[in-house]
Structure formats: structure tokens, C-alpha cells
Amino acid sequence: VNEERLMELYKSVLGSWAECPVRAEEIEGPIPPAFLTFPKIASTLAFIDGHTSFSTILSSSKMTRLETAAVLSQLVRSKIIVVEES
């Protein structure tokens, strides 16, 4: 039950699971360069290509769906990845 609630919370940050995020052209704010090399961050960023949906990333990641959603949420909140408006 808690996992379902957390996934709904992450969905509220990320938007539709069908959206395909892209890397931001410029990273805003003080993000230490080493942050992008953390294994969970780097492995999630490897999926970000503008063509792969959140849903596909969640199911393809070697981490749990919950862990992956948490990382994606962190990347969106940090403005490292964005969902482009169509």
C-alpha cells in the first residue's frame, strides 16, 4: 500500500508515465559533477534519450520501480531532466 502511494506521489512530480524525458540543455543550480556519476543516477540517466518513456525506464531499470521512480523524481526536481511540452 505504501509503495502504491509513493508511486502516485512520484507520478504527480513526473507526469504521465507515457512521457519521454530529455536531459536539460543546461543544469540549473549547484549540482556537484560527481552527483551525475553516482551509480543509481548514472544508470537512470543512461535511459534518458527523449524517446524512452518513464514507463519503459521503470520496467527496464535493474533497480526496483520504486527506486527508479525516486531517482527520476530527483532528476526532475533538480532540473537535470525535463519533459518537453508538445
Side-chain angles (χ1 to χ4, degrees):
V1 175
N2 286 337
E3 183 173 338
E4 290 174 22
R5 287 183 180 166
L6 285 170
M7 289 301 287
E8 285 301 314
L9 174 69
Y10 292 133
K11 187 175 182 183
S12 73
V13 172
L14 300 173
S16 168
W17 295 134
E19 297 290 343
C20 299
V22 297
R23 288 184 187 226
E25 289 186 24
E26 290 187 27
I27 295 176
E28 299 177 22
I31 304 290
F35 174 76
L36 301 178
T37 65
F38 292 160
K40 288 183 179 183
I41 301 296
S43 66
T44 303
L45 278 173
F47 288 105
I48 308 300
D49 60 6
H51 303 289
T52 305
S53 69
F54 285 124
S55 180
T56 300
I57 295 167
L58 290 169
S59 62
S60 299
S61 173
K62 292 182 181 179
M63 295 182 288
T64 67
R65 288 177 55 85
L66 187 59
E67 285 178 302
T68 304
V71 171
L72 288 167
S73 175
Q74 186 174 16
L75 292 171
V76 166
R77 288 181 287 113
S78 300
K79 299 181 181 175
I80 294 170
I81 65 173
V82 296
V83 176
E84 294 183 333
E85 299 293 324
S86 338

